[in-house]
Amino acid sequence: MQLVIVESPAKAKTIEKYLGKDFKVLASYGHVRDLPAKDGSVRPDEGFAMDWEIYRDKQSRFKEIADAAKKADRLVLATDPDREGEAISWHVRELLAKRKALPKEVDRVTFNAITKQAVTDAMAKPRELDQPLIDAYLARRALDYLYGFTLSPVLWRRLPGAKSAGRVQSVALRLIVDREREIEAFRAEEYWSVIATMEQDGTEFAARLVKYDGTKLDKLTLGDRGSAMAARQAVEDSRFTIEEIETKPLKRNPAPPFTTSTLQQEAARKLGFSASHTMRLAQSLYEAGAITYMRTDGVQMDGSAIAACRKAVSERYSGHYLPEKPRIYQTKAKNAQEAHEAIRPTDFSRDRAGSGDEGKLYDLIFKRAMASQMAAASLERTTVTMRDPTGRHELRATGQVVKFPGFLAVYQEGFDDKGDEDEDGLLPVMHKGDSPLKKGVDANQHFTQPPPRFSEASLVKRLEELGIGRPSTYASTIQTLRDRAYVRMEKNRFFAEESGRLLTAFLERFFERYVAFDFTAGMEDELDTVSDGREDWKELLEQFWKDFKPKTEEVMDKKPSEVTEVLDEFLSGYLFPERADGKDARHCPLCEAEGRDGGRLALRGGRYGAFVACANYPECKFTRQFAAPGGSEQGGEDAVLGHDPETGLPVERKTGRFGPYIQLGEGKDAKRASIPKDLDDFDLEWALKLLNLPRIIGPHPETGLEIEANIGRYGPYLRHDGKYGKLTSTREVFEIGMNRAVDVLAQAANRGGAGGRAKAEPIKLLGTHPTSGGEIKVMPGRYGPYVTDGTTNATIPKDVKPEDITEAQAVELIDARAAKGPAKKKGRKAPAKKKAAPKKKPAAKKAAG
């Protein structure tokens, strides 16, 4: 018997169909072991020795592999054809050898696509494990471990509130923070454009003023309303004649097939998918045999695939759409060992695969690959120049037409940020000497725009341009930034949270070299030299460690107050921007209001993170929160918002273990309420409203029982007669009237069915399950919160908050539960037999007195 090891059960199922009865295919379910998350797992003083630990949830699965290996004559390691795949095979071999279950014959095979031909060809050409590739994995894993486990304790002790730092993660965060700084430093400039609406032979077109009073106009030349209106009047008063018509033929060639990076970028632009979601879908398509391997830097296609693609083009389109010669694309990847074939369909006669999001991604991959072998698009760009009789004023109109679509008939590449002067339209037929009719002239005001915030697509593109990290790791890197709440997403753009800004400032000030773009990119180059056998992995680690370790010790020796003082100066422009009234930006507003002297603000470190506080503390309790998501101006520790008009007690805003809250009074009798995240203008008025919840709306018109509005663990809600209805926002709790409340409760009852109980609302939505295709939801349950894809429910561990669970964690929990099979129904217990009542002992006769 021959035992074949792959990563996933889906891949195992597909491959098993192609191999004969002599083969048994088992899945490792990804990596089987890792470095334990504790100090000492990598020991630099012992030649970077590493301790490995098998995952708890993989122990029973690996036992199945070990038991099968003992009976096998040959072991075939058929994991993915990249560094991680090589590492998984190495781990499996090492563990089997340790358990004395390794067959005499051990082979490694790789294939770029899970098709019968690719699998059988690979089986016929086995090789040994690639040791340089394994060394590159060991170096990268040890490097990331040493960076994280050495730097993170420094953060915890010297920068309270910081959660972790990573080699690539910290640099990606710096890119987002730097862009935030650029946007803040940006000062908009006013400019105007003058556009004339012209007409020729019944067709309207727009012409831009490009020369005024003999001066060529740049973007900012017309910088105020006065000059713009003067230019507009000059155009209105003039008669323009066409003096130049220039027509240029243009050709556009198709983009190459997808790499990992370009797939993530296009899926984000065209489909709105996150990088992690794209990679899960691609993994599923690969394991189903629909596409080639999806972790690649290569843009080249196999010769047989090019032939199949060209055949598909000729079958679908006329001969004009097929170029005379095949298009050959060259990879720009620095490391040839890790550059595989581009991502493409395994069968070009199959234009559909998968369903839902999988189907959408396959369609994108199919069209991009097919377009890459199609003819160039032919376009024609026309520029028409019109001048007044003096020649001092000039209008210009541009238009572009597609003469032959070529590859554009199938696919057009997306762009992250388009310019604001695209004038690609159809112009009417015009000749020199014509004087088109002027129908109107507009002067339009504009303002220069700051650089756009990063989208997932543009961030991935920038990381790749800088040579930072690997495209296959970008999805997990970006997800970590979101999970740590260092960044947030709004309208598909990254915003740096204040905790992310603080961490970046700390690293820039104390570990500048290790968040420098050139250092991180240079480290990637060195790791590439290890993977192709040109550098020893331990020497690379030694060079890193001899500088990094002393640097962390130097920072650890500093007092927290010293660190805060340095950051206060480093961030002064951000924390204390210039005031409109000209006063000192560090002047304490509370001390000013209460007539105290010496109230000066500065950055301070607290138990739950950094915050801005007054030098007059504890007399002055003014604080302003810094390192919390959303960074409210009123945040902080022990900030007095004002006094309750009824009791006269202070209303304080505090930060606790579970976030910001308000408190009225002290001790056991104090009233407290959490501060909802959707209140941007939080003040004393809002604090008093929250402290007075629940709000009674009034008696229900049918039952006469009270309807109550309140805020609970899962957000704002209504309650009436033991039934609930969900509200959309905190504001609605205080604004909703009786009619709307009755309607919300009725809708909730209808969703809940005949029983009238309102259907539970999801705590969180997490995208689509990569295998089942069902929507993943985090739900409240009778016996605790759980995750579900609509088919399988999995309980969330007690030590994990349901609000914090990530999509990857949810998929893992659901898959683990599904692997156990359906829950066994417990048989009805027979009623317990009644015990016979104990016989009463006869009462002892009392002795005669």
Side-chain angles (χ1 to χ4, degrees):
M1 187 263 288
Q2 299 183 53
L3 176 63
V4 181
I5 302 298
V6 295
E7 296 97 324
S8 73
K11 188 175 176 181
K13 188 177 180 181
T14 306
I15 291 175
E16 207 160 39
K17 292 187 296 185
Y18 303 143
L19 301 176
K21 295 180 180 178
D22 292 337
F23 291 86
K24 183 173 185 178
V25 185
L26 293 178
S28 69
Y29 288 81
H31 275 282
V32 292
R33 64 178 185 172
D34 196 7
L35 298 169
K38 61 182 181 181
D39 289 335
S41 295
V42 178
R43 299 184 295 283
D45 296 338
E46 298 176 29
F48 297 96
M50 301 185 199
D51 291 332
W52 300 97
E53 181 179 77
I54 190 167
Y55 292 115
R56 288 187 179 181
D57 60 341
K58 301 288 177 70
Q59 289 179 355
S60 60
R61 288 184 181 135
F62 194 80
K63 183 179 184 300
E64 182 185 0
I65 292 174
D67 291 343
K70 290 176 182 178
K71 302 173 186 175
D73 303 314
R74 179 190 179 208
L75 174 67
V76 181
L77 300 166
T79 49
D80 288 344
D82 62 359
R83 184 185 61 248
E84 293 301 310
E86 206 73 18
I88 291 171
S89 287
W90 176 77
H91 279 301
V92 169
R93 188 190 67 178
E94 293 295 298
L95 271 172
L96 289 176
K98 189 176 180 180
R99 298 190 181 194
K100 297 181 179 179
L102 196 66
K104 291 182 180 179
E105 189 178 354
V106 179
D107 288 319
R108 170 81 167 115
V109 302
T110 57
F111 32 81
N112 191 49
I114 305 178
T115 61
K116 187 170 185 178
Q117 186 67 45
V119 171
T120 52
D121 286 352
M123 288 292 180
K125 298 175 183 178
R127 63 168 173 82
E128 293 184 355
L129 285 172
D130 188 328
Q131 192 57 49
L133 212 53
I134 295 167
D135 289 346
Y137 161 79
L138 294 172
R140 192 177 292 269
R141 191 67 195 88
L143 190 66
D144 290 340
Y145 172 91
L146 291 172
Y147 188 101
F149 271 82
T150 309
L151 184 55
S152 292
V154 179
L155 295 177
W156 301 334
R157 292 176 176 83
R158 296 297 174 262
L159 192 70
K163 297 174 182 176
S164 70
R167 185 175 58 87
V168 177
Q169 166 198 324
S170 298
V171 180
L173 177 60
R174 181 184 173 184
L175 280 172
I176 296 170
V177 170
D178 281 353
R179 179 57 55 87
E180 202 77 34
R181 291 169 180 162
E182 289 177 50
I183 292 169
E184 289 168 357
F186 178 82
R187 295 293 177 266
E189 292 186 72
E190 180 184 8
Y191 69 98
W192 291 71
S193 62
V194 176
I195 308 293
T197 302
M198 313 294 283
E199 184 181 296
Q200 176 83 356
D201 296 334
T203 301
E204 288 188 2
F205 63 95
R208 179 184 295 268
L209 180 65
V210 294
K211 187 177 181 181
Y212 169 56
D213 203 19
T215 303
K216 184 179 179 181
L217 298 182
D218 293 323
K219 185 175 183 178
L220 301 177
T221 303
L222 301 177
D224 57 72
R225 183 181 183 85
S227 60
M229 289 305 167
R232 175 178 174 271
Q233 190 63 47
V235 174
E236 283 188 335
D237 295 343
S238 301
R239 183 173 182 270
F240 289 85
T241 303
I242 296 173
E243 294 193 4
E244 295 175 16
I245 299 177
E246 184 181 23
T247 301
K248 283 186 177 181
L250 299 173
K251 276 199 170 185
R252 282 183 58 189
N253 290 314
F258 282 128
T259 62
T260 302
S261 170
T262 54
L263 177 64
Q264 291 175 5
Q265 292 173 48
E266 280 289 82
R269 295 184 193 114
K270 293 185 180 296
L271 304 176
F273 293 168
S274 67
S276 57
H277 187 50
T278 297
M279 293 308 290
R280 277 194 295 275
L281 296 173
Q283 178 83 35
S284 183
L285 287 169
Y286 166 67
E287 291 174 353
I291 63 170
T292 53
Y293 192 54
M294 68 289 163
R295 290 187 176 89
T296 174
D297 296 321
V299 292
Q300 69 277 9
M301 286 204 300
D302 180 75
S304 61
I306 291 175
C309 182
R310 286 172 62 83
K311 181 183 177 185
V313 172
S314 64
E315 288 174 350
R316 288 170 170 79
Y317 301 93
S318 69
H320 298 295
Y321 286 83
L322 192 66
E324 290 184 12
K325 295 181 180 179
R327 293 186 180 276
I328 305 299
Y329 299 94
Q330 297 295 325
T331 180
K332 295 179 182 179
K334 297 176 184 177
N335 189 332
Q337 281 193 331
E338 292 193 61
H340 304 291
E341 191 180 355
I343 304 170
R344 62 166 177 84
T346 56
D347 182 358
F348 278 95
S349 66
R350 182 183 183 185
D351 57 5
R352 292 184 182 180
S355 60
D357 286 356
E358 267 186 33
K360 292 176 185 176
L361 189 66
Y362 179 82
D363 184 63
L364 200 67
I365 293 168
F366 181 89
K367 288 178 177 177
R368 173 83 166 221
M370 176 172 279
S372 74
Q373 288 299 319
M374 292 178 70
S378 296
L379 302 97
E380 187 176 82
R381 187 170 184 83
T382 302
T383 303
V384 177
T385 302
M386 293 169 279
R387 297 188 182 96
D388 74 328
T390 67
R392 297 183 65 78
H393 307 316
E394 186 176 300
L395 297 175
R396 183 174 297 158
T398 59
Q400 182 172 286
V401 294
V402 177
K403 308 295 284 185
F404 172 65
F407 75 92
L408 292 177
V410 175
Y411 184 87
Q412 185 166 357
E413 188 175 16
F415 298 94
D416 295 310
D417 302 295
K418 297 182 180 179
D420 60 356
E421 296 190 14
D422 291 335
E423 296 178 1
D424 296 335
L426 189 63
L427 292 178
V429 175
M430 290 182 275
H431 305 90
K432 285 185 180 180
D434 288 348
S435 294
L437 175 66
K438 184 162 72 269
K439 300 192 70 175
V441 184
D442 293 316
N444 303 314
Q445 185 186 38
H446 310 275
F447 292 92
T448 54
Q449 297 298 310
R453 287 183 169 86
F454 284 109
S455 63
E456 281 214 8
S458 58
L459 181 61
V460 165
K461 185 178 181 181
R462 186 64 181 139
L463 287 168
E464 189 175 38
E465 287 172 350
L466 292 170
I468 293 169
R470 277 285 178 205
S472 57
T473 66
Y474 292 156
S476 59
T477 297
I478 291 170
Q479 189 60 49
T480 299
L481 292 178
R482 297 176 70 173
D483 292 344
R484 297 282 188 271
Y486 292 148
V487 299
R488 70 182 188 278
M489 292 290 283
E490 288 184 14
K491 297 181 180 178
N492 294 322
R493 296 281 174 170
F494 285 106
F495 285 71
E497 292 286 15
E498 292 184 337
S499 55
R501 293 191 70 135
L502 183 63
L503 173 60
T504 298
F506 177 84
L507 295 174
E508 283 183 296
R509 185 60 186 81
F510 295 103
F511 293 91
E512 184 178 9
R513 180 188 181 198
Y514 301 100
V515 288
F517 302 137
D518 55 353
F519 172 81
T520 311
M523 187 63 71
E524 291 297 334
D525 290 339
E526 287 196 65
L527 288 165
D528 286 347
T529 64
V530 172
S531 65
D532 60 20
R534 288 182 287 132
E535 185 173 357
D536 182 79
W537 67 280
K538 292 186 178 180
E539 289 181 8
L540 183 153
L541 290 175
E542 187 64 50
Q543 290 297 317
F544 166 79
W545 187 246
K546 73 176 184 179
D547 295 324
F548 184 69
K549 180 61 174 174
K551 186 63 178 175
T552 58
E553 291 172 346
E554 174 193 326
V555 178
M556 189 67 93
D557 287 340
K558 295 182 181 294
K559 296 178 181 178
S561 57
E562 291 180 283
V563 171
T564 304
E565 187 177 336
V566 170
L567 291 178
D568 177 89
E569 181 181 352
F570 188 78
L571 292 166
S572 60
Y574 168 67
L575 292 173
F576 310 107
E578 292 183 6
R579 287 173 52 160
D581 59 8
K583 292 183 179 179
D584 184 358
R586 290 179 179 264
H587 193 68
C588 175
L590 190 58
C591 284
E592 182 180 12
E594 297 182 1
R596 277 191 298 270
D597 294 327
R600 187 170 172 77
L601 302 179
L603 188 66
R604 296 284 183 266
R607 182 180 177 187
Y608 300 107
F611 62 99
V612 174
C614 180
N616 281 335
Y617 182 85
E619 288 80 11
C620 177
K621 291 188 176 182
F622 176 86
T623 61
R624 190 173 72 233
Q625 195 173 3
F626 178 81
S632 172
E633 285 294 309
Q634 288 81 22
E637 299 181 351
D638 301 333
V640 178
L641 298 179
H643 293 79
D644 179 17
E646 292 185 11
T647 64
L649 293 172
V651 178
E652 296 178 273
R653 173 172 180 148
K654 298 190 173 187
T655 301
R657 182 181 175 189
F658 302 110
Y661 66 96
I662 44 174
Q663 177 174 305
L664 174 66
E666 298 292 340
K668 294 181 179 179
D669 297 329
K671 292 179 70 175
R672 298 178 180 86
S674 295
I675 300 176
K677 293 181 180 179
D678 61 346
L679 293 180
D680 298 326
D681 53 349
F682 191 78
D683 55 15
L684 177 62
E685 183 180 352
W686 274 113
L688 294 172
K689 285 182 178 181
L690 292 172
L691 288 166
N692 286 321
L693 287 176
R695 172 186 168 227
I696 305 300
I697 298 172
H700 193 287
E702 294 179 6
T703 66
L705 299 175
E706 287 183 336
I707 300 176
E708 173 187 294
N710 205 345
I711 300 173
R713 181 180 180 187
Y714 303 118
Y717 67 90
L718 294 174
R719 183 171 67 177
H720 164 256
D721 194 20
K723 301 177 179 64
Y724 296 83
K726 187 174 182 180
L727 297 177
T728 57
S729 68
T730 300
R731 293 177 186 276
E732 196 173 12
V733 172
F734 302 98
E735 295 170 357
I736 191 168
M738 179 59 70
N739 291 338
R740 167 74 176 143
V742 170
D743 184 50
V744 169
L745 289 166
Q747 289 182 30
N750 290 336
R751 286 196 300 271
R757 177 180 287 276
K759 186 178 179 181
E761 294 288 342
I763 301 169
K764 194 175 183 182
L765 298 176
L766 295 172
T768 306
H769 191 280
T771 305
S772 71
E775 186 178 28
I776 303 174
K777 300 176 183 178
V778 181
M779 301 292 294
R782 183 179 177 185
Y783 302 108
Y786 64 95
V787 290
T788 181
D789 63 348
T791 304
T792 303
N793 298 346
T795 303
I796 296 174
K798 291 182 180 179
D799 58 346
V800 177
K801 292 183 187 177
E803 298 87 353
D804 295 342
I805 196 165
T806 65
E807 189 174 347
Q809 289 173 316
V811 170
E812 186 177 350
L813 287 168
I814 290 169
D815 289 349
R817 182 65 190 85
K820 294 179 181 178
K824 294 180 181 179
K825 292 184 178 179
K826 295 180 180 180
R828 189 175 177 182
K829 290 183 179 180
K833 293 181 179 180
K834 292 183 179 179
K835 293 182 180 179
K839 294 180 180 179
K840 291 184 180 180
K841 294 181 181 179
K845 292 181 180 179
K846 292 183 180 180

